[in-house]
Amino acid sequence: MISFHAQLVVKFSKKPQLLEQHQATKHAVTQLLDGDTGKNIVHIIFKTGWSCKEKSPEIHRILKIHNSPKILSRFEEYREFVKAKAARNSKRRDERCIADGNELLRFYCSTFMCDLGLNDQDSSICNQQYCSVCGVIKSGFSPKMDGISTLSTSWRAHTAIPEEIEEEFKFMNVKRAMLVCRVVAGRVGCELDEDVDKQDGGADSVLGRGGSGVHTRLDEQELLVFNPRAVLPCFVIVYTV
């Protein structure tokens, strides 16, 4: 008699897309445990930027995202595209873009409605339509978005979402979470640039709120990324303030 595991192997070997879908939904995240070096690093990165004047966030769990090969491939291919484009640009030679696509670590705050990572043994994500975090983990950021807003610190990302959102949508069990993301910023423009657009010759991202000055520091501002393939979520931090 064939075991259940063997049946799954046979089933997935015939249809590879089913295996990818299974891994993307049932093995999407892993909770980092106390004592894990990675957890300590993410914890420090998350807490940096919260001043003593603000309420201190309480971290409930930190989850490592296991991106599907498809999402990871899209990210890496886009980074190579940005590097190649920068190398071809004879007018503005940007060594950072040529080296790694001007890759940065940024924060993106969003909401979720399920019990993501609540059970240590449960590494799956849900299929609820309005569970934004699970949607991003499963399929990446939507191409329908008019730019993806990434912030330099978790505090800045936290303030990008109204404080009362949990209370307002309490009936839907809405909670917030922070995504720690790798971002291929590419060539960063600002609203004053004449060629800021989504075309091949323009900027790949643009400084957002408060970022229109020529001397604005990137690490202090919102960065609006044009292409959804440029943002790869790596960790989910479930917290309350």
Side-chain angles (χ1 to χ4, degrees), residues 43-205:
H43 186 281
I44 293 172
I45 293 174
F46 175 79
K47 284 296 187 76
T48 302
W50 292 75
S51 67
C52 298
K53 297 179 181 179
E54 303 296 332
K55 296 179 180 178
S56 179
E58 180 182 356
I59 296 177
H60 299 289
R61 52 191 179 277
I62 297 177
L63 311 172
K64 181 179 180 179
I65 299 175
H66 302 292
N67 286 292
S68 69
K70 183 177 181 179
I71 291 178
L72 187 58
S73 176
R74 286 191 314 208
F75 174 79
E76 293 176 342
E77 288 174 359
Y78 179 74
R79 182 177 56 195
E80 292 305 310
F81 164 76
V82 171
K83 289 167 58 178
K85 184 178 69 170
R88 294 194 303 267
N89 193 337
S90 58
K91 294 182 180 180
R92 298 190 183 187
R93 186 170 180 83
D94 190 325
E95 298 298 337
R96 178 67 190 277
C97 283
I98 295 174
D100 64 1
N102 193 14
E103 184 175 324
L104 307 170
L105 186 68
R106 307 285 289 186
F107 294 90
Y108 180 88
C109 191
S110 190
T111 58
F112 68 106
M113 301 168 61
C114 62
D115 294 327
L116 181 64
L118 185 61
N119 186 337
D120 291 345
Q121 304 302 318
D122 187 4
S123 58
S124 62
I125 57 177
C126 76
N127 291 312
Q128 296 186 62
Q129 181 180 358
Y130 299 107
C131 193
S132 299
V133 171
C134 285
V136 169
I137 295 174
K138 181 180 180 180
S139 306
F141 287 89
S142 171
K144 296 180 180 180
M145 297 175 67
D146 189 20
I148 302 166
S149 174
T150 67
L151 284 301
S152 56
T153 68
S154 59
W155 176 78
R156 290 182 181 276
H158 171 80
T159 58
I161 292 184
E163 291 184 5
E164 63 276 6
I165 190 168
E166 290 96 338
E167 188 63 31
E168 185 175 353
F169 293 97
K170 189 175 182 179
F171 68 98
M172 296 177 65
N173 194 34
V174 166
K175 304 171 286 289
R176 77 172 66 206
M178 190 69 62
L179 296 177
V180 183
C181 307
R182 292 170 61 188
V183 177
V184 176
R187 183 189 155 203
V188 181
C190 69
E191 295 178 353
L192 298 181
D193 286 342
E194 295 180 357
D195 58 352
V196 169
D197 54 39
K198 301 182 182 181
Q199 302 304 315
D200 189 52
D204 304 297
S205 57

